[in-house]
């Protein structure tokens, strides 16, 4: 039996310090809440960002519903009282009460897997909630009559694709009746239009019965197709609504690069518009009967000054819709529109984003009220035609802050950009008062928009992560988005602004043309007898490994952030200032191989890099390539962590690749400094090697993978010709029932090994060495423990990542090793492995030490777990104080890099 909680004298607390993930590259997935929080979706996770800082998100929500927890979020929208509507790529719709972290399923149908492209809703005066979702199948409404009642759903517009939808209330009578208008932008090959529907919600009261019983009330929902607004020449992808007092204004953006403004005005005298309405309907019918060659742009000339559509309702006054203006200025798809918050006395101001790499602000200027752009922001830099990690392909979204003095852009690569408005300097007291009163007036002459550090992260699956080996100065992560990113935390020793005291991306060492699969840090310093400091090796979907060195520009930034990079101790290393990507190239070249830039702290100001600088100016130069594999790289491992404690060793990198035959099912060992393959380990595996681990003294290498065989390779003795070579000394066939995804040696005991497999089990193995009759050492490997991580779903989940903590803990005088475990469902757990008499019959069994809250866990498969190195020497390597602090990093297929601060204290 597992150890009971009563026997555990320790308690564990975990704080999510970073969720580094880019926003999903879909429109309609960026919001600003009433609490001044920025909300954005990344894969299946909802992120909440504090508007006062540029920190990456640390507050997240994710669905626990079976049909939604593995799906991707495609769109978000807000209802009143901090209620958040979420649409998924499998058609599921959920409603969150964000202040209570409560989730409610609005719609889920296994027969309807068409993704939601947009959704909008409204809370009605009778306490009901009305929501409309758009998809490639059509329009579907979801109606909830009471707070505790069920959701009713129906597809009311079929066989038509829609990209955007908007639900707004126009008028309301004195009783319970109210008119709701639904506007939807189509995505058809031709004849795209804005469809308009009206929804009447009324109460039908049956007369009192003869017996005097109370009258019965029955609510009626009536959706009427009112017609269409024509004019756009391509898909309609976005809409925005603004109230004007007596009327309303609708802005629509299209793939035809144009924005149209529509004015909604109440009809006080219906006779004034009868002739115009009849003429409009006649022309609409004529256009609909035309052949495919008809030019729809003529519609504006035919209907100039006419009412394009009249919304009629029995319970409410009719509303006329006219074309107010056509805004022409973008050179590519208009992806999002947002009206500036409506402050009293201010004229309407519209924000638009486009795939032409810019965000525009529009306003009506002059006495004639002509709409024109008054400001333009964006990133004109980057590498055109290069990887998304180094170039801005365009914006998929843009919104205003609630105060109107900040705009937020959503890049196609997932990065979130911030610009703040700065009024011109006042020349006099009167000018200062004018500027203060007009802080939200963007027409002030001389005012500018300044870019601020944004929110960045991976926008595809993160395959691997590793810490800088000497002291964990930073974390590197490799992703299928073809970038390697550097994450660091600002210290408190330097003069640094408070708003950057957090983990964040401060560098992008590699931007590649292939998906990255693995990364290892090997730089332990020449003084330690190893590789130069700040050197790493990366693997990708290619046949060679690439080696990179840190440039002085990145190291200077880290030093200013309070991180000791050892630059003064590594002064003999010849480093370039930065690197660049040549045209049509896959490698990061040095900017100038002959010019050596010395470290100089020219000032104490810390300027965090912007997105453009991350993708272009923070690259690390590639110093060498390692050739030898015949197929794509799968896995990397290194013994660099051992070099920090034993300078007599050589830094070795082990690599494996996709194995389509026994010949390629091998492991190559590399001396990176010499760019040389020093050994090829063959004969152990018959298929792809998925995991490799070095023992803490580098004496053993453990490997396993697709063939389920666990192999132990031992380093040749020092009296042999080459001590860097390894030989197969032990193997266990069918160590697990399914593929083995992860393995890790205990850093406190070189003979203890953990493995995790798709079969859902974690196994603890003991490696033993005994002399035989010939006085030779025989190596055996025995299974000590096997256990299944705890599940709430009731089904076995694959174990995809395991990692031992760098320190032991003392639990009632029993030394215990902490093992972090990551599952295929994204769950994270910490298990305790007692080390006294491990493998004996009466030894204590492993037990669940801590289970991470579901909101802090990943939404997809955990690919790697890595504890930050701890170099402080504690007696017996165990817990000698009242508390221990660890930092654990994880990466996942949900595009996220998460960093947790783990504190172990005694009860």
């Amino acid at each position: 039996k597992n150890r009971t909680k009563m026997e555990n004298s320790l308690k564990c607390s975990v704080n999510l310090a970073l969720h580094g993930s880019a926003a999903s590259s879909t429109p309609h997935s960026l919001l600003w809440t009433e609490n001044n929080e920025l909300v954005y979706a990344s894969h299946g996770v909802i992120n909440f960002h504090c508007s006062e800082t540029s920190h990456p998100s640390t507050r997240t929500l994710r669905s626990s519903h079976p049909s939604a927890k593995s799906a991707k979020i495609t769109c978000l929208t807000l209802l009143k009282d901090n209620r958040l509507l979420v649409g998924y790529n499998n058609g599921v719709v959920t409603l969150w009460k964000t202040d209570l972290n409560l989730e409610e399923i609005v719609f889920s149908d296994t027969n309807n897997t068409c993704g939601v492209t947009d959704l909008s809703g409204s809370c009605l005066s009778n306490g009901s909630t009305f929501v409309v979702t758009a998809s490639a199948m059509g329009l579907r409404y979801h109606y909830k009559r009471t707070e505790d009642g069920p959701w009713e759903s129906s597809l009311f517009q079929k066989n038509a694709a829609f990209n955007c939808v908007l639900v707004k209330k126009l008028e309301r009578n004195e009783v319970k009746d109210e008119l709701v208008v639904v506007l939807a932008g189509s995505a058809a090959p031709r004849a795209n239009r804005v469809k308009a529907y009206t929804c009447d919600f009324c109460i039908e009261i049956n007369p009192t019965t003869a017996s005097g019983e109370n009258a019965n009330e029955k609510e009626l929902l009536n959706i009427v197709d009112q017609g269409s607004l024509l004019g756009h020449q391509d898909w309609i992808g976005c809409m925005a609504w603004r109230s004007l007092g007596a009327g309303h204004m609708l802005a629509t953006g299209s793939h035809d690069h144009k924005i149209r403004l529509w004015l909604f005005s109440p009809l006080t005298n219906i006779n004034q518009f009868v002739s115009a309405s009849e003429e409009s309907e006649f022309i609409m019918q004529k256009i609909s009967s035309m052949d495919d060659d008809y030019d729809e742009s003529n519609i504006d000339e035919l209907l100039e000054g006419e009412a394009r559509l009249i919304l009629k309702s029995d319970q409410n006054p009719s509303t006329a819709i006219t074309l107010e203006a056509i805004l022409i200025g973008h050179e590519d798809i208009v992806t999002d529109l947002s009206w500036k918050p409506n402050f009293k006395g201010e004229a309407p101001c519209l924000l638009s984003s486009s795939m032409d790499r810019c965000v525009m602000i529009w306003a009506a200027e002059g006495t004639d009220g002509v709409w024109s752009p008054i400001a333009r922001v964006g990133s004109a830099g980057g590498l055109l035609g290069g990887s998304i990690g180094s170039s801005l392909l365009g914006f998929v979204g843009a919104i205003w802050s609630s105060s109107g003095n900040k705009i937020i852009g959503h890049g196609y690569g997932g990065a979130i950009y911030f610009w703040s408005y700065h009024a011109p300097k006042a020349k006099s007291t009167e000018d200062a008062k004018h500027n203060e009163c007009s802080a939200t007036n963007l027409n002030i002459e001389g005012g500018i928009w300044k870019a601020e550090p944004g929110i960045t992260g991976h926008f595809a699956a993160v395959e691997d992560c590793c810490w800088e080996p000497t002291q964990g100065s930073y974390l590197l992560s490799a992703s299928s988005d073809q970038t390697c990113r550097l994450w660091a935390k600002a210290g408190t020793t330097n003069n640094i602004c408070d708003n950057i005291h957090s983990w964040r991306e401060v560098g992008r060492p590699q931007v590649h043309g292939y998906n990255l699969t693995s990364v290892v840090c090997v730089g332990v310093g020449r003084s330690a007898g190893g590789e130069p400091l700040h050197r790493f090796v990366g693997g990708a979907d290619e046949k060679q490994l690439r080696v990179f060195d840190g440039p002085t520009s990145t190291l200077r930034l880290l030093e200013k952030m309070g991180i000791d990079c050892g630059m003064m101790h590594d002064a003999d290393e010849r480093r370039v200032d930065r690197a660049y990507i040549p045209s049509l190239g896959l490698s990061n070249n040095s900017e100038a191989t002959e010019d050596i830039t010395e470290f100089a702290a020219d000032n104490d100001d810390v300027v965090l890099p912007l997105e453009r600088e991350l993708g272009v100016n923070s690259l690390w130069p590639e110093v060498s390539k390692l050739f030898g594999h015949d197929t794509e790289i799968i896995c990397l491992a290194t013994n660099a962590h051992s070099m920090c404690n034993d300078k007599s060793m050589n830094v070795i990198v082990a690599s494996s690749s996709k194995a389509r035959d026994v010949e390629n099912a091998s492991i190559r060992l590399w001396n990176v400094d010499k760019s040389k393959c020093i050994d090829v380990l063959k004969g152990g595996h018959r298929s792809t090697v998925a995991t490799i681990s070095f023992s803490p003294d580098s004496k053993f290498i453990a490997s396993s993978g697709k063939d389920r065989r666990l192999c132990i390779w031992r380093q040749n003795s020092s009296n042999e010709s080459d001590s860097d070579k390894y030989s197969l000394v032990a193997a266990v066939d069918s160590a697990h029932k399914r593929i083995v995804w992860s393995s890790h040696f205990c850093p406190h005991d070189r003979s203890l090994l953990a493995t995790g497999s798709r079969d859902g089990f974690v196994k603890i193995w003991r490696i033993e060495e005994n002399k035989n009759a010939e006085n030779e050492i025989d190596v055996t490997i025995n299974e000590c423990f096997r256990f299944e991580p705890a599940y709430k779903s009731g089904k076995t989940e694959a174990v995809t990542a395991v990692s031992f903590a760098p320190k032991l803990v003392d639990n009632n005088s029993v030394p215990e090793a902490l093992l972090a475990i990551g599952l295929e469902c994204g769950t994270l757990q910490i298990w305790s492995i007692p080390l006294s008499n491990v493998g004996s019959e009466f030894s204590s069994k492993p037990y669940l030490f801590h289970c991470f809250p579901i909101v802090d866990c990943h939404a997809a498969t955990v690919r790697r777990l890595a504890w930050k190195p701890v170099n402080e020497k504690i007696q017996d390597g165990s817990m000698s104080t009242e508390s221990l602090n660890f930092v654990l990093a994880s990466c996942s297929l949900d595009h996220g890099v998460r960093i947790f601060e783990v504190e172990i204290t005694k009860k």
Side-chain angles (χ1 to χ4, degrees), residues 736-778:
H736 286 268
K737 295 181 179 179
R738 302 288 298 277
I739 182 174
V740 180
W741 284 121
S742 182
S743 62
H744 192 233
F745 274 98
C746 178
H748 319 288
D749 188 346
R750 73 178 189 186
S751 66
L752 209 60
L753 174 71
T755 58
S757 166
R758 182 178 285 279
D759 64 9
F761 281 92
V762 175
K763 292 188 177 183
I764 308 298
W765 307 84
R766 169 73 76 184
I767 301 173
E768 298 181 352
E769 297 179 280
N770 299 298
K771 289 187 177 181
N772 56 21
E774 289 77 18
N775 203 28
E776 296 177 348
I777 297 178
D778 290 335

Coordinates of all heavy atoms in Angstrom, one line a residue, residues 736-778:
H736 N 8.1 -1.9 -21.1 CA 6.7 -1.5 -20.9 C 5.9 -2.2 -22.0 O 6.4 -2.7 -23.0 CB 6.6 0.0 -21.0 CG 7.1 0.8 -19.8 ND1 6.3 1.2 -18.8 CD2 8.4 1.2 -19.5 CE1 7.0 1.8 -17.9 NE2 8.3 1.9 -18.3
K737 N 4.6 -2.1 -21.9 CA 3.7 -2.7 -22.9 C 3.6 -1.8 -24.1 O 3.1 -2.3 -25.2 CB 2.3 -2.9 -22.3 CG 2.3 -4.0 -21.2 CD 0.9 -4.2 -20.6 CE 1.0 -5.2 -19.5 NZ -0.4 -5.5 -19.0
R738 N 3.8 -0.5 -24.0 CA 3.7 0.4 -25.1 C 5.0 1.2 -25.2 O 5.9 1.0 -24.4 CB 2.5 1.3 -24.9 CG 1.2 0.6 -24.8 CD 0.7 0.0 -26.1 NE 0.5 1.0 -27.1 CZ -0.7 1.7 -27.2 NH1 -1.6 1.6 -26.4 NH2 -0.8 2.6 -28.2
I739 N 5.1 2.1 -26.2 CA 6.3 2.9 -26.4 C 6.7 3.7 -25.2 O 5.8 4.2 -24.4 CB 6.0 3.9 -27.6 CG1 7.3 4.7 -27.9 CG2 4.8 4.8 -27.3 CD1 7.2 5.6 -29.1
V740 N 8.0 3.7 -24.9 CA 8.5 4.4 -23.8 C 8.9 5.9 -24.2 O 9.7 6.1 -25.1 CB 9.8 3.7 -23.2 CG1 10.3 4.5 -22.0 CG2 9.5 2.3 -22.9
W741 N 8.2 6.9 -23.6 CA 8.4 8.2 -24.1 C 9.5 9.0 -23.3 O 10.1 9.9 -23.9 CB 7.1 9.0 -23.9 CG 6.0 8.7 -24.9 CD1 4.7 8.2 -24.7 CD2 6.1 8.9 -26.3 NE1 4.0 8.1 -25.8 CE2 4.8 8.5 -26.9 CE3 7.1 9.4 -27.2 CZ2 4.6 8.6 -28.2 CZ3 6.8 9.5 -28.5 CH2 5.6 9.1 -29.0
S742 N 9.7 8.6 -22.1 CA 10.6 9.4 -21.3 C 11.4 8.6 -20.3 O 10.9 7.5 -19.8 CB 9.9 10.5 -20.5 OG 10.7 11.3 -19.8
S743 N 12.6 9.0 -20.0 CA 13.5 8.3 -19.0 C 14.3 9.4 -18.3 O 14.7 10.4 -18.9 CB 14.3 7.2 -19.6 OG 15.2 7.8 -20.6
H744 N 14.7 9.1 -17.0 CA 15.5 10.1 -16.4 C 16.2 9.4 -15.2 O 15.6 8.7 -14.4 CB 14.7 11.3 -15.9 CG 15.6 12.4 -15.4 ND1 15.4 13.0 -14.2 CD2 16.6 13.1 -16.0 CE1 16.3 14.0 -14.0 NE2 17.0 14.1 -15.2
F745 N 17.6 9.6 -15.1 CA 18.3 9.1 -13.9 C 18.1 10.1 -12.7 O 18.0 11.3 -12.8 CB 19.8 9.1 -14.2 CG 20.2 7.8 -14.9 CD1 20.4 7.8 -16.3 CD2 20.5 6.7 -14.2 CE1 20.8 6.6 -16.9 CE2 20.9 5.5 -14.8 CZ 21.1 5.4 -16.2
C746 N 18.1 9.4 -11.5 CA 18.0 10.2 -10.3 C 19.3 10.9 -10.1 O 20.4 10.3 -10.1 CB 17.7 9.3 -9.1 SG 17.6 10.2 -7.5
P747 N 19.4 12.3 -9.9 CA 20.6 13.0 -9.8 C 21.4 12.6 -8.5 O 22.6 13.0 -8.3 CB 20.2 14.4 -9.8 CG 18.8 14.5 -9.4 CD 18.2 13.2 -9.9
H748 N 20.7 12.0 -7.5 CA 21.4 11.6 -6.2 C 21.8 10.2 -6.2 O 22.5 9.8 -5.2 CB 20.4 11.9 -5.1 CG 19.6 13.2 -5.3 ND1 20.1 14.4 -5.2 CD2 18.3 13.4 -5.6 CE1 19.2 15.3 -5.4 NE2 18.1 14.7 -5.7
D749 N 21.4 9.4 -7.1 CA 21.8 8.0 -7.1 C 21.9 7.5 -8.6 O 20.9 7.4 -9.3 CB 20.7 7.2 -6.4 CG 21.1 5.7 -6.2 OD1 22.0 5.3 -6.9 OD2 20.4 5.0 -5.4
R750 N 23.1 7.3 -9.0 CA 23.3 6.9 -10.5 C 22.7 5.6 -10.9 O 22.5 5.3 -12.0 CB 24.8 6.9 -10.8 CG 25.5 5.7 -10.2 CD 26.9 5.6 -10.6 NE 27.6 4.3 -10.2 CZ 28.8 4.1 -10.3 NH1 29.7 5.0 -10.7 NH2 29.3 2.9 -10.0
S751 N 22.3 4.8 -9.9 CA 21.8 3.5 -10.2 C 20.3 3.5 -10.3 O 19.7 2.5 -10.5 CB 22.2 2.5 -9.1 OG 21.7 2.8 -7.8
L752 N 19.6 4.6 -10.0 CA 18.2 4.7 -10.0 C 17.7 5.4 -11.2 O 18.1 6.5 -11.6 CB 17.7 5.5 -8.7 CG 16.3 5.1 -8.2 CD1 16.3 3.6 -7.8 CD2 16.0 6.0 -7.0
L753 N 16.7 4.8 -11.9 CA 16.2 5.3 -13.2 C 14.7 5.2 -13.2 O 14.1 4.2 -12.8 CB 16.8 4.4 -14.4 CG 16.3 4.7 -15.8 CD1 16.8 6.1 -16.3 CD2 16.7 3.6 -16.7
A754 N 14.1 6.3 -13.8 CA 12.6 6.3 -13.9 C 12.3 6.3 -15.4 O 13.0 7.0 -16.2 CB 12.0 7.5 -13.2
T755 N 11.2 5.6 -15.8 CA 10.7 5.6 -17.2 C 9.2 5.8 -17.2 O 8.5 5.3 -16.3 CB 11.1 4.2 -17.9 OG1 10.5 3.1 -17.1 CG2 12.6 4.1 -18.0
G756 N 8.7 6.4 -18.2 CA 7.3 6.6 -18.4 C 6.9 6.2 -19.8 O 7.6 6.4 -20.8
S757 N 5.7 5.6 -19.9 CA 5.3 4.9 -21.1 C 3.9 5.3 -21.5 O 3.1 5.7 -20.7 CB 5.5 3.4 -21.0 OG 4.9 2.7 -22.0
R758 N 3.5 5.0 -22.8 CA 2.1 5.1 -23.2 C 1.2 4.1 -22.5 O 0.0 4.3 -22.5 CB 2.1 4.9 -24.7 CG 0.7 5.1 -25.3 CD 0.7 4.9 -26.8 NE 1.3 6.1 -27.5 CZ 0.6 7.2 -27.7 NH1 -0.7 7.3 -27.4 NH2 1.2 8.2 -28.3
D759 N 1.7 3.1 -21.9 CA 0.9 2.1 -21.2 C 0.3 2.7 -19.9 O -0.5 2.0 -19.2 CB 1.6 0.8 -20.9 CG 2.8 1.0 -20.0 OD1 3.0 2.1 -19.4 OD2 3.6 0.0 -19.9
G760 N 0.7 3.9 -19.6 CA 0.2 4.6 -18.4 C 0.9 4.3 -17.1 O 0.5 4.8 -16.0
F761 N 2.1 3.6 -17.2 CA 2.8 3.3 -16.0 C 4.1 4.0 -15.9 O 4.7 4.4 -16.9 CB 3.1 1.8 -15.9 CG 1.9 0.9 -15.5 CD1 1.0 0.4 -16.4 CD2 1.7 0.7 -14.1 CE1 0.0 -0.4 -16.0 CE2 0.7 -0.1 -13.7 CZ -0.2 -0.6 -14.6
V762 N 4.5 4.3 -14.7 CA 5.9 4.8 -14.4 C 6.6 3.7 -13.6 O 6.1 3.1 -12.7 CB 5.8 6.1 -13.5 CG1 7.3 6.5 -13.1 CG2 5.1 7.2 -14.2
K763 N 7.8 3.4 -14.1 CA 8.6 2.4 -13.5 C 9.9 2.9 -12.9 O 10.5 3.8 -13.6 CB 8.9 1.2 -14.4 CG 7.6 0.4 -14.8 CD 8.0 -0.8 -15.7 CE 6.7 -1.6 -16.0 NZ 7.0 -2.9 -16.7
I764 N 10.3 2.4 -11.8 CA 11.6 2.8 -11.1 C 12.5 1.6 -11.2 O 12.1 0.5 -10.8 CB 11.4 3.2 -9.7 CG1 10.3 4.3 -9.6 CG2 12.7 3.7 -9.1 CD1 10.7 5.6 -10.3
W765 N 13.6 1.8 -11.8 CA 14.6 0.7 -12.0 C 15.8 0.9 -11.2 O 16.3 2.0 -11.0 CB 15.0 0.6 -13.5 CG 13.8 0.5 -14.5 CD1 13.1 1.5 -15.0 CD2 13.2 -0.7 -15.0 NE1 12.1 1.1 -15.8 CE2 12.2 -0.3 -15.9 CE3 13.5 -2.0 -14.9 CZ2 11.4 -1.2 -16.6 CZ3 12.8 -2.9 -15.7 CH2 11.7 -2.5 -16.5
R766 N 16.5 -0.3 -10.8 CA 17.7 -0.2 -10.1 C 18.8 -0.9 -11.0 O 18.6 -2.0 -11.4 CB 17.6 -0.9 -8.8 CG 18.9 -1.2 -8.0 CD 19.5 0.1 -7.5 NE 18.8 0.5 -6.3 CZ 19.1 1.6 -5.6 NH1 20.0 2.5 -6.1 NH2 18.4 1.9 -4.5
I767 N 19.9 -0.2 -11.2 CA 21.0 -0.7 -12.0 C 22.1 -1.2 -11.0 O 22.5 -0.5 -10.1 CB 21.6 0.3 -12.9 CG1 20.6 0.8 -13.9 CG2 22.8 -0.3 -13.6 CD1 21.0 2.0 -14.7
E768 N 22.4 -2.5 -11.0 CA 23.4 -3.1 -10.1 C 24.6 -3.7 -10.8 O 24.5 -4.2 -11.9 CB 22.7 -4.2 -9.3 CG 21.5 -3.7 -8.5 CD 20.9 -4.9 -7.7 OE1 21.2 -6.0 -7.9 OE2 20.0 -4.6 -6.8
E769 N 25.8 -3.5 -10.2 CA 27.0 -4.0 -10.7 C 27.6 -5.0 -9.8 O 27.8 -4.8 -8.6 CB 28.0 -2.9 -10.9 CG 27.6 -1.8 -11.9 CD 28.6 -0.7 -12.0 OE1 28.6 0.2 -11.2 OE2 29.4 -0.7 -13.0
N770 N 27.9 -6.2 -10.3 CA 28.4 -7.3 -9.5 C 29.6 -8.0 -10.3 O 29.5 -8.1 -11.5 CB 27.4 -8.3 -9.1 CG 26.2 -7.7 -8.3 OD1 26.5 -7.2 -7.2 ND2 25.0 -7.7 -8.9
K771 N 30.6 -8.5 -9.5 CA 31.7 -9.2 -10.2 C 31.3 -10.6 -10.3 O 30.8 -11.3 -9.4 CB 33.0 -9.0 -9.3 CG 33.6 -7.6 -9.4 CD 34.9 -7.6 -8.7 CE 35.5 -6.2 -8.8 NZ 36.9 -6.1 -8.2
N772 N 31.6 -11.2 -11.5 CA 31.4 -12.6 -11.7 C 32.6 -13.4 -11.4 O 33.6 -12.9 -10.8 CB 31.0 -12.8 -13.2 CG 32.0 -12.3 -14.2 OD1 33.2 -12.1 -13.8 ND2 31.6 -12.0 -15.4
A773 N 32.6 -14.7 -11.7 CA 33.6 -15.6 -11.4 C 34.9 -15.2 -12.1 O 36.0 -15.5 -11.6 CB 33.2 -17.1 -11.8
E774 N 34.8 -14.6 -13.2 CA 36.0 -14.2 -14.0 C 36.5 -12.8 -13.5 O 37.4 -12.2 -14.2 CB 35.8 -14.2 -15.5 CG 35.6 -15.6 -16.1 CD 34.3 -16.2 -15.8 OE1 33.4 -15.4 -15.4 OE2 34.1 -17.4 -16.0
N775 N 36.0 -12.3 -12.4 CA 36.3 -11.0 -11.9 C 36.0 -9.9 -12.8 O 36.6 -8.8 -12.8 CB 37.8 -11.0 -11.5 CG 38.1 -9.9 -10.5 OD1 37.3 -9.6 -9.6 ND2 39.3 -9.4 -10.5
E776 N 35.0 -10.1 -13.6 CA 34.5 -9.1 -14.5 C 33.2 -8.6 -13.9 O 32.5 -9.3 -13.2 CB 34.2 -9.7 -15.9 CG 35.5 -10.1 -16.6 CD 35.2 -10.7 -18.0 OE1 34.0 -11.0 -18.2 OE2 36.1 -10.9 -18.8
I777 N 32.9 -7.3 -14.3 CA 31.7 -6.7 -13.7 C 30.5 -7.0 -14.6 O 30.5 -6.7 -15.8 CB 31.9 -5.2 -13.6 CG1 33.0 -4.9 -12.6 CG2 30.6 -4.5 -13.1 CD1 33.4 -3.4 -12.4
D778 N 29.5 -7.6 -14.0 CA 28.2 -7.8 -14.7 C 27.2 -6.7 -14.3 O 27.1 -6.4 -13.1 CB 27.6 -9.2 -14.4 CG 28.5 -10.3 -15.1 OD1 29.1 -10.0 -16.1 OD2 28.4 -11.4 -14.6

